[in-house]
Amino acid sequence: MTMTTALKPSRVPRGLFPVGILLAVMLPLILMPLASIYVFAARSGLEGFINAITSPEAQFALRFSLLIALLTAIINGGLGTYTAYVLSKYRFPGRDALNVIVNLPVAIPTVVVGTSLLLLWGPIGILGQFLVPLGISPMFAPAGVLLAHLFVTFPYMLGAVKPVLDELEVTYEEAAYTIGASQLEAFRFVILPALRGGLFSGALLTFAHSLGEFGATILVSGNLPFRTQTAPLYIFAQFEAGNIEAANAVAAVLATLSFVLFFALMQFNKKSARA
Amino acid sequence: MSIRLTDLTKRYNEQLVVNRVSLEIRDGELFVLLGGSGSGKSTVLRMIAGLTTPDAGKIELNGRDVTYLSPQARGVGFVFQNYSIFRHMTVLENVEFGLRIRKTKSNERRRRAEELLDLVGLAGLGARYPSQLSGGQQQRVALARALAYQPAVLLLDEPFGALDVKIRAQLRVSLKEIQRQLQVTTILVTHDQEEAFELADRIGVMDTGRLIEVGAPETLYYQPDTEFTATFIGGGNVLVGRKEDKWIRLGSVALPLPPEAAHTDNGAPIRILFRPERTILQSEPFQDRAIQVLGQGEVIEQIFAGAVQRIVLEMEGLRGVRAVAPRAVYGQSVTRIEVIQTGARAAENIFTLGQKVWVGLRDFHVLDPAGLKVLICVSQDASGQLAAEMGSLLAHATHGPATLLHVAARPELAAQARDYLETVRRAFAAQLPGLDVRVRVGTSAAQILLEAQEGHYEVIALGQSASGDTGFRGLGSTARQVLEQAEVPVLLTQTKRVSLKQILICTRGGEPGKTDVAFGGRVARRADAAATVLFVQTEQTTPEEQKRAARHLLQAEAALAVQGVRGKIKILDGGIIENIIRQADADDADLIVIGAQAPRGRPRLRWQNFATQLVGAAARPVLVVPMNE
Amino acid sequence: MSERLLQLNWSRVLGRVVIVLMVGALAFYAVEPWLPWNTPTRPRTIVVYGFSILGDVMNKGIFPAFQKEWQARTGERVEFVASFAGSGTITNQIILGVPAQVGILSTELDAQRLVDAQVLTEPTWRALPHNGTLNLTPFVILTHKGNPKNIHDFSDLARPGIGVVHADPRTSGGAMWGILAEYGSARQLGLSDADAANQLAGIWKNVVAQASSARGARTQFENGFGDALVTYEQEALYDIARHKFDGEIIYPRSTVESEHTVVVIDRNIAPAERAVVDAFVEFLWSKQAQNIFVQYGFRSVDEALNGDTFARIEKPFRVSALGGWQNAKQNIIDALWKEKIIAVQPK
């Protein structure tokens, strides 16, 4: 592997003062709130922490969150990659508009996403009013949570994969064709491996966002423990109910999981930047 | 024949990118397509590979029609300018990819890949990733990858374009060696002349979608057929002289007409090419009879560049001779030529600015005559006959290539139409030996316009049948549509003329009038005809317009003189049509040239009536020149 | 070079294996409950949506008791799926279509909204025991330990310099009860209409934090916000019993007793579940259930069960004293609080 030679800048600014200011800002803004999760978790003792984590409701919420995040990452992984491929490769009328639309979920408040899903699929919704009497009711059910998460996290996969695809010259694929690869083979052997980095970081981002999704979930899930309650909803419910230990324990787990994901992503990006 | 292209055509958004390219490439040949950017050379290559679908034409590889096959089914090797090697695969994996797709056994695959890496000079680097290779090495990988599965043909699209000069030279040598060794039929596309000359067995020169000329490098350099090739490849002097029996007259100089030069009439323009390095300069007059003397010139520019010395001379004896190349500088009155002295001569003969020296030519080359390219639209009736006669008269007089076109309404009529056109062609064969024949199927006007655009014709000739006392029924719908939409001049004929000696150019005052004068003058120059430029002023003409018209006529006279056309100018008062007819009768004009308003503008209708009336009343051929306002 | 590559590869392979194992374990952990061997025959479920302070009493008291009773009676297991949030929130959720079968709302007003939204065909809760009222709890004031700001009645909350924590009446039924208490008590004690309104305005000028539910407001107060919290007596009693609250309960001379309404949402009850839901609703008013409520700090609808568990309030009143919920909402919440107080106060 290539070694990055450390470039010695000719003049290193002696920046203790600016660094100090930065720390002074970051400390109360980001670091201290995060730290307090762990401080509180530690305060209730290991036993209390384990009890809080292993309560059936908390276990369900954590597993359900992980499952939904996993499914979201897989489904949006495929869907996002396909969308990116089409948007990047094909020229068609309305392409620019579609490009904006698929990125829209980033800009829409998640609460609005939840509302819009309810107004479509819910019992009083546009489609729901016909479907619910037939027994098809995705809202207030795991399917609804998945729908909301797919919606909210859709752009992340796209955002990770599309730039890579855009950067990939047309000739890259054409080269595979002239060599004799079918369109499928070209995608499988040539395009997909080139996307590996984007796919991985996109899936990780999607997973992380899904794990933390709150605004849309609380609306479409009905917040039912043992049915549709995700970890963030559990945290909120327990906090509202005054069970701060229970809320905090799961919050600490969620935060830790996010840290691990985030560092995995950083590590990966660093590695792929070196390659 | 490894590769055969027939009438390959491609349009992008109505723009002709590749225009009827026909080409045959021999087995094992290294063929170079040379052209500037946008000439369509890469598109041709991509069509052969199947990456772009042609709109028309046929592609055969080793006798197999592959025109509409997918790239995968063609078995060609393609090397892209940007390498496009797969960056997540090692060098070896890249080279093996084609074999892996073809399900070759892994040990066989490995053996073959190693062999190729050896061949392209990358032995031992198989385990590396592309990011660990230089650009030149990457392109070598791309070459090995394209050759691994033993493709029927190898196509290279500007393969060295992204590399620096030194690497480029090395790779060229490698490519030539590998190509020789493998004997794989190869087409390389480039804009780099040096590259083309170094590599090619044969070169095809492309410009604006057309394959202009094909030939061996030496032939294209010293004996090109066309002016484009002569000026596009290398530096060259192209001068326009006139034929005088067995001589080419260039101002006060006469060069012997080579016997192999294409037949032309006396007085017709002849373009000669001589390369700067095929000239000799010396301070004393020439004694050697083998050297064609071009007279004395004055050194006005001298650049010493080591091995060669580049000199520009003003040739007093060539005053008034038109030079296509080098391009005349603004305000230049005396013809200039470029000369290059090489080797010992460059060292011995150091000339000073202003010095008078004798210029001799070791040899020169006569380019094919370039006359007006005429599209003659022939229908199977009297008017068709008229169009054929007048069109071929125009083509003959202007030394232009001409095509007979018939538009068949239905496909089943095409064969019969072709037979008919053959008889017409034979009738004119003596006059126009190069006459071409073409049949299209569809709506007359649309097909005529399409053919005119695709074939780069300069004039469309249409016949008009006469009948009854008035002798004229008005324009047919085809003629009307062609007139409305054509971007090139349209010749309307309803009476026969036997020669083209006298031309009447009816101009309008002002800027748009320059187009008709210029085109009329061009016809006159090529046909060696006399011209009258006429302006008719009516009661509506304001004094300002009169003044402008007078100025315009004087300019027109000067312009004709520059073109070497005998011309006079005339201003008449009264009705436009009456005056045109009166003047035409007085001159016994063989052709009336009128300018038409912008074809798509509103005034078109008024003008069209006017043209119609003129055609009906004048009983002479009318050439309608579209003007861009 | 190649040796180094080889070594590097080993650690890479090991790293990969570890990562794959970790991801695999996580995935298995997530999926495990849904795997076939883990989904035994589904027990009967009852879906209950309750307003916030009911969370503990239902989850720890009522549900287990009913499960035991039902199992004893029929041998069947019954599971509860329950969600607790602000009364307004769960009412909205029920209107939007959550599959709630039984709702326990903190005001009759929210029940009426279900009728307006055609979730209920008519005020069906009136047919239930005690007009659907499940239990009661008076509104009291909580202060920090030692009552440092010397607060003894609602009128004290209007004093300048007092910070009041209150739930938001737009989402919380408890907050509406709070407003009725703050205004109504003044009327009960003989103040004029205008003076009562002034008292309410004074209190709301002092509101420093608004949570979406009564529970949320209490959590904020326990986290140190403000000097006083207007909330259910039950909250304070229950927390003191659990040693979670270390402050004072201040009983005003007069206050409202909130009535909590049970609604049965027929459209969400499949015929097969009818019996168990009805049995559960009936159970709610049983002596056993009402005793559990008392244990958790609610005052029972059956005075006899309350005994001397609860402190005496001088002049308690119910919403009927203010002309019923419809009038109280119109005249006090909407016309007075919403339009005259909140609208003119910079928030």
Side-chain angles (χ1 to χ4, degrees):
Chain A
M1 294 292 127
T2 49
M3 291 296 296
T4 42
T5 43
L7 284 175
K8 281 241 170 81
S10 53
R11 195 177 64 91
V12 184
R14 300 215 158 257
L16 282 182
F17 186 63
V19 172
I21 289 182
L22 186 65
L23 269 179
V25 173
M26 298 307 264
L27 214 62
L29 212 59
I30 295 171
L31 297 176
M32 278 160 66
L34 281 176
S36 51
I37 292 179
Y38 294 100
V39 170
F40 262 85
R43 204 182 276 177
S44 58
L46 187 65
E47 201 180 337
F49 179 79
I50 289 177
N51 281 342
I53 280 301
T54 50
S55 84
E57 210 172 325
Q59 277 293 305
F60 176 90
L62 274 172
R63 288 173 188 221
F64 185 64
S65 263
L66 283 171
L67 180 74
I68 289 289
L70 211 62
L71 288 177
T72 305
I74 291 169
I75 296 174
N76 264 354
L79 218 57
T81 308
Y82 180 74
T83 311
Y85 185 71
V86 170
L87 279 178
S88 168
K89 193 182 160 192
Y90 295 94
R91 299 282 174 276
F92 51 91
R95 178 168 160 272
D96 290 339
L98 198 63
N99 224 334
V100 172
I101 290 169
V102 294
N103 280 302
L104 219 51
V106 179
I108 300 179
T110 50
V111 181
V112 177
V113 174
T115 315
S116 65
L117 283 172
L118 276 182
L119 294 181
L120 179 67
W121 296 106
I124 57 165
I126 295 167
L127 285 178
Q129 56 184 321
F130 305 109
L131 292 177
V132 172
L134 300 175
I136 304 166
S137 172
M139 290 299 110
F140 313 116
V145 179
L146 187 62
L147 272 179
H149 284 223
L150 289 178
F151 187 141
V152 170
T153 63
F154 189 80
Y156 296 111
M157 197 68 199
L158 195 70
V161 171
K162 188 152 177 294
V164 187
L165 270 175
D166 284 342
E167 207 195 319
L168 221 56
E169 309 87 5
V170 199
T171 55
Y172 206 70
E173 206 173 338
E174 286 178 344
Y177 293 158
T178 57
I179 288 167
S182 66
Q183 202 162 354
L184 205 70
E185 283 170 325
F187 188 80
R188 163 78 188 77
F189 294 122
V190 175
I191 304 289
L192 210 56
L195 294 184
R196 221 161 31 184
L199 280 175
F200 185 74
S201 58
L204 224 52
L205 264 177
T206 308
F207 188 85
H209 273 271
S210 169
L211 213 53
E213 211 307 315
F214 179 78
T217 318
I218 189 136
L219 280 177
V220 300
S221 70
N223 194 14
L224 293 167
F226 296 111
R227 257 203 204 172
T228 59
Q229 196 176 53
T230 62
L233 297 193
Y234 175 83
I235 295 170
F236 181 71
Q238 293 302 319
F239 198 84
E240 273 244 319
N243 300 326
I244 296 174
E245 292 86 4
N248 191 59
V250 175
V253 171
L254 216 53
T256 310
L257 209 57
S258 304
F259 285 146
V260 171
L261 284 178
F262 181 70
F263 281 114
L265 195 66
M266 291 270 282
Q267 210 57 32
F268 178 80
N269 283 344
K270 221 166 35 183
K271 216 165 83 185
S272 55
R274 250 189 290 141
Chain B
M1 220 44 78
S2 269
I3 304 172
R4 188 203 300 267
L5 311 179
T6 315
D7 278 345
L8 210 54
T9 301
K10 179 74 191 173
R11 286 165 189 273
Y12 285 125
N13 311 321
E14 296 300 302
Q15 189 81 32
L16 263 171
V17 183
V18 173
N19 189 358
R20 275 192 207 152
V21 168
S22 296
L23 179 63
E24 291 186 352
I25 291 164
R26 298 186 275 265
D27 289 338
E29 190 177 14
L30 204 172
F31 189 91
V32 174
L33 269 181
L34 177 64
S37 61
S39 60
K41 55 190 191 308
S42 287
T43 311
V44 170
L45 205 68
R46 292 175 56 83
M47 286 195 282
I48 298 173
L51 298 173
T52 300
T53 315
D55 292 333
K58 195 157 119 180
I59 303 165
E60 287 161 275
L61 295 181
N62 293 321
R64 188 166 64 124
D65 183 349
V66 300
T67 315
Y68 297 105
L69 283 187
S70 69
Q72 291 88 349
R74 300 191 187 199
V76 302
F78 203 107
V79 175
F80 296 87
Q81 177 174 6
N82 58 12
Y83 327 137
S84 290
I85 43 178
F86 308 137
R87 51 188 96 140
H88 58 277
M89 296 185 194
T90 63
V91 168
L92 214 55
E93 284 167 349
N94 261 286
V95 178
E96 281 182 5
F97 185 65
L99 299 169
R100 202 168 119 204
I101 292 294
R102 286 169 176 73
K103 310 265 189 289
T104 311
K105 284 205 188 78
S106 76
N107 52 350
E108 163 66 17
R109 213 157 74 190
R110 183 56 51 99
R111 193 187 57 73
R112 176 97 187 117
E114 301 272 10
E115 208 176 277
L116 272 161
L117 283 183
D118 206 22
L119 186 69
V120 299
L122 290 177
L125 298 183
R128 294 217 183 162
Y129 279 92
S131 56
Q132 298 165 294
L133 298 180
S134 70
Q137 287 174 321
Q138 292 196 37
Q139 197 57 297
R140 283 172 193 268
V141 175
L143 183 61
R145 186 180 67 179
L147 288 169
Y149 46 95
Q150 285 158 314
V153 297
L154 178 62
L155 307 174
L156 305 109
D157 189 2
E158 300 258 11
F160 313 133
L163 302 168
D164 65 50
V165 182
K166 218 171 133 190
I167 308 283
R168 217 183 285 184
Q170 290 172 4
L171 266 174
R172 261 185 230 157
V173 175
S174 299
L175 175 67
K176 185 99 185 169
E177 272 173 19
I178 292 165
Q179 200 269 340
R180 285 251 172 79
Q181 205 175 326
L182 300 180
Q183 288 293 315
V184 55
T185 310
T186 304
I187 302 182
L188 181 140
V189 157
T190 185
H191 67 275
D192 184 340
Q193 297 184 17
E194 200 186 321
E195 196 168 293
F197 277 87
E198 191 177 326
L199 289 171
D201 295 326
R202 283 193 303 154
I203 295 175
V205 178
M206 284 201 68
D207 180 45
T208 58
R210 284 177 301 161
L211 185 60
I212 306 279
E213 209 173 333
V214 175
E218 312 81 59
T219 317
L220 286 188
Y221 189 74
Y222 290 117
Q223 284 128 25
D225 287 340
T226 62
E227 189 181 297
F228 180 83
T229 312
T231 53
F232 178 70
I233 292 178
N237 298 288
V238 177
L239 303 180
V240 186
R242 291 196 171 276
K243 185 183 167 183
E244 264 176 23
D245 298 322
K246 296 207 176 304
W247 299 93
I248 303 163
R249 167 64 60 189
L250 291 159
S252 61
V253 180
L255 298 173
L257 184 67
E260 71 275 10
H263 168 79
T264 39
D265 296 337
N266 265 349
I270 291 184
R271 290 163 307 163
I272 65 157
L273 160 76
F274 56 94
R275 295 290 177 188
E277 65 277 15
R278 299 302 291 170
T279 54
I280 304 175
L281 295 187
Q282 59 185 46
S283 21
E284 300 82 38
F286 290 96
Q287 307 298 324
D288 190 344
R289 295 223 135 223
I291 286 170
Q292 305 298 333
V293 181
L294 214 54
Q296 243 187 335
E298 184 185 333
V299 179
I300 59 161
E301 205 183 310
Q302 176 169 249
I303 296 159
F304 178 72
V308 300
Q309 189 184 6
R310 190 176 150 274
I311 297 163
V312 178
L313 296 143
E314 267 189 351
M315 304 296 292
E316 190 55 45
L318 298 182
R319 187 179 276 278
V321 173
R322 199 163 73 93
V324 176
R327 245 172 207 290
V329 188
Y330 183 77
Q332 167 194 331
S333 57
V334 185
T335 307
R336 291 179 184 180
I337 62 168
E338 247 180 60
V339 167
I340 285 175
Q341 302 243 79
T342 54
R345 285 203 151 266
E348 286 160 20
N349 296 334
I350 305 291
F351 299 105
T352 51
L353 285 186
Q355 191 182 344
K356 300 262 191 206
V357 289
W358 287 93
V359 183
L361 304 181
R362 275 186 239 270
D363 45 43
F364 65 89
H365 173 69
V366 176
L367 299 178
D368 278 358
L372 278 179
K373 200 174 176 194
V374 185
L375 179 65
I376 306 167
C377 308
V378 185
S379 50
Q380 299 181 25
D381 57 15
S383 71
Q385 190 64 26
L386 273 172
E389 279 172 10
M390 195 59 204
S392 55
L393 179 62
L394 183 67
H396 175 73
T398 60
H399 315 284
T403 301
L404 294 169
L405 171 73
H406 181 79
V407 180
R410 295 188 304 278
E412 58 267 29
L413 298 176
Q416 189 259 331
R418 194 171 294 277
D419 291 343
Y420 174 74
L421 285 185
E422 260 321 302
T423 59
V424 178
R425 190 184 68 81
R426 252 177 266 124
F428 289 96
Q431 202 181 358
L432 283 172
L435 197 56
D436 222 351
V437 164
R438 220 176 151 75
V439 174
R440 293 185 78 115
V441 178
T443 320
S444 294
Q447 294 300 321
I448 290 171
L449 289 165
L450 221 56
E451 177 68 23
Q453 194 201 358
E454 287 175 6
H456 289 262
Y457 289 93
E458 291 166 286
V459 176
I460 301 171
L462 291 170
Q464 284 300 314
S465 50
S467 75
D469 301 333
T470 56
F472 185 64
R473 285 182 306 191
L475 290 177
S477 66
T478 299
R480 213 164 45 234
Q481 282 178 47
V482 171
L483 268 179
E484 275 173 19
Q485 292 169 35
E487 286 158 11
V488 295
V490 178
L491 176 68
L492 293 165
T493 314
Q494 39 102 0
T495 34
K496 188 174 166 174
R497 303 296 295 187
V498 288
S499 64
L500 195 54
K501 290 282 169 227
Q502 185 69 43
I503 296 175
L504 176 62
I505 304 170
C506 311
T507 186
R508 302 171 358 125
E511 197 57 36
K514 285 182 181 168
T515 322
D516 45 22
V517 172
F519 193 81
R522 207 170 138 209
V523 173
R525 174 164 61 84
R526 300 228 176 126
D528 201 20
T532 304
V533 182
L534 172 68
F535 178 74
V536 182
Q537 58 187 39
T538 61
E539 284 162 7
Q540 283 102 45
T541 317
T542 61
E544 247 105 278
E545 283 171 338
Q546 287 182 24
K547 236 184 268 168
R548 205 169 58 206
R551 228 177 20 245
H552 170 58
L553 280 187
L554 286 175
Q555 282 169 351
E557 193 177 27
L560 290 179
V562 167
Q563 288 182 308
V565 174
R566 290 157 285 132
K568 57 178 180 183
I569 53 174
K570 196 122 193 182
I571 297 181
L572 291 176
D573 238 331
I576 296 180
I577 299 221
E578 297 88 310
N579 273 310
I580 291 176
I581 291 172
R582 197 173 309 141
Q583 185 61 38
D585 287 344
D587 289 347
D588 191 22
D590 298 303
L591 180 66
I592 300 172
V593 178
I594 57 168
Q597 288 271 25
R600 280 174 249 290
R602 224 171 226 300
R604 189 179 58 199
L605 275 177
R606 204 176 54 204
W607 158 80
Q608 199 191 25
N609 288 338
F610 172 71
T612 311
Q613 285 172 38
L614 189 60
V615 174
R620 290 169 202 276
V622 176
L623 185 63
V624 185
V625 183
M627 296 186 297
N628 302 315
E629 266 176 295
Chain C
M1 175 76 194
S2 62
E3 258 173 49
R4 254 196 67 201
L5 263 169
L6 213 65
Q7 277 174 5
L8 226 125
N9 272 343
W10 269 116
S11 72
R12 256 177 77 179
V13 166
L14 201 72
R16 286 216 174 156
V17 168
V18 168
I19 288 173
V20 166
L21 281 179
M22 273 167 59
V23 170
L26 202 66
F28 179 77
Y29 169 70
V31 176
E32 196 258 348
W34 283 268
L35 293 177
W37 63 76
N38 245 326
T39 30
T41 47
R42 262 186 138 185
R44 281 181 187 287
T45 56
I46 301 175
V47 181
V48 178
Y49 271 65
F51 71 98
S52 59
I53 61 166
L54 285 171
D56 275 341
V57 68
M58 299 304 278
N59 279 328
K60 293 179 186 164
I62 302 293
F63 292 158
F66 179 73
Q67 275 168 335
K68 222 177 269 167
E69 209 239 41
W70 183 255
Q71 180 123 34
R73 184 144 40 118
T74 64
E76 257 179 3
R77 262 183 65 70
V78 60
E79 291 281 348
F80 283 93
V81 172
S83 183
F84 298 95
S87 184
T89 305
I90 58 169
T91 306
N92 291 338
Q93 284 182 323
I94 291 171
I95 290 170
L96 275 174
V98 294
Q101 292 167 327
V102 176
I104 307 171
L105 310 172
S106 68
T107 77
E108 194 185 18
L109 212 53
D110 284 331
Q112 186 58 44
R113 274 172 56 209
L114 294 179
V115 177
D116 295 343
Q118 290 167 340
V119 174
L120 302 178
T121 46
E122 52 179 21
T124 49
W125 62 89
R126 300 242 164 93
L128 295 172
H130 296 270
N131 276 335
T133 299
L134 179 62
N135 50 30
L136 309 163
T137 186
F139 265 69
V140 296
I141 302 166
L142 302 192
T143 67
H144 295 299
K145 195 175 175 133
N147 193 4
K149 294 283 170 110
N150 210 19
I151 295 164
H152 297 290
D153 208 340
F154 287 122
S155 55
D156 293 326
L157 298 183
R159 282 196 335 240
I162 303 286
V164 178
V165 178
H166 214 293
D168 187 344
R170 278 164 289 214
T171 55
S172 165
M176 289 207 260
W177 285 114
I179 290 174
L180 295 195
E182 288 147 18
Y183 174 86
S185 65
R187 296 284 291 146
Q188 291 289 318
L189 296 174
L191 264 67
S192 74
D193 217 14
D195 288 343
N198 274 339
Q199 179 174 320
L200 184 64
I203 294 171
W204 276 86
K205 213 174 269 170
N206 286 339
V207 168
V208 292
Q210 271 187 56
S212 65
S213 70
R215 266 280 147 115
R218 194 202 62 190
T219 307
Q220 284 180 345
F221 180 71
E222 283 171 359
N223 282 340
F225 272 92
D227 304 309
L229 169 73
V230 176
T231 191
Y232 301 100
E233 174 199 39
Q234 182 272 343
E235 292 260 64
L237 291 178
Y238 180 53
D239 281 355
I240 287 171
R242 288 186 305 157
H243 307 292
K244 290 198 70 170
F245 176 57
D246 196 18
E248 313 285 335
I249 304 179
I250 308 298
Y251 285 95
R253 278 184 293 158
S254 169
T255 190
V256 75
E257 283 182 327
S258 71
E259 297 148 286
H260 310 138
T261 307
V262 173
V263 289
V264 177
I265 296 123
D266 294 318
R267 72 169 186 193
N268 288 338
I269 302 170
E273 293 159 343
R274 188 81 238 182
V276 69
V277 173
D278 283 347
F280 173 66
V281 171
E282 197 181 314
F283 176 77
L284 288 175
W285 277 278
S286 69
K287 209 165 194 173
Q288 188 190 358
Q290 289 292 321
N291 262 325
I292 293 172
F293 283 127
V294 171
Q295 273 167 36
Y296 278 82
F298 289 95
R299 298 192 181 197
S300 171
V301 282
D302 183 355
E303 273 298 334
L305 294 176
N306 291 336
D308 51 4
T309 319
F310 298 100
R312 207 185 73 85
I313 294 165
E314 219 174 283
K315 278 188 176 169
F317 63 97
R318 294 204 183 174
V319 72
S320 50
L322 297 168
W325 254 117
Q326 295 296 344
N327 283 329
K329 165 91 159 82
Q330 233 168 52
N331 300 335
I332 302 168
I333 308 281
D334 290 344
L336 180 59
W337 179 78
K338 213 174 257 177
E339 305 207 340
K340 299 231 173 79
I341 294 174
I342 268 301
V344 294
Q345 266 186 12
K347 262 191 81 180

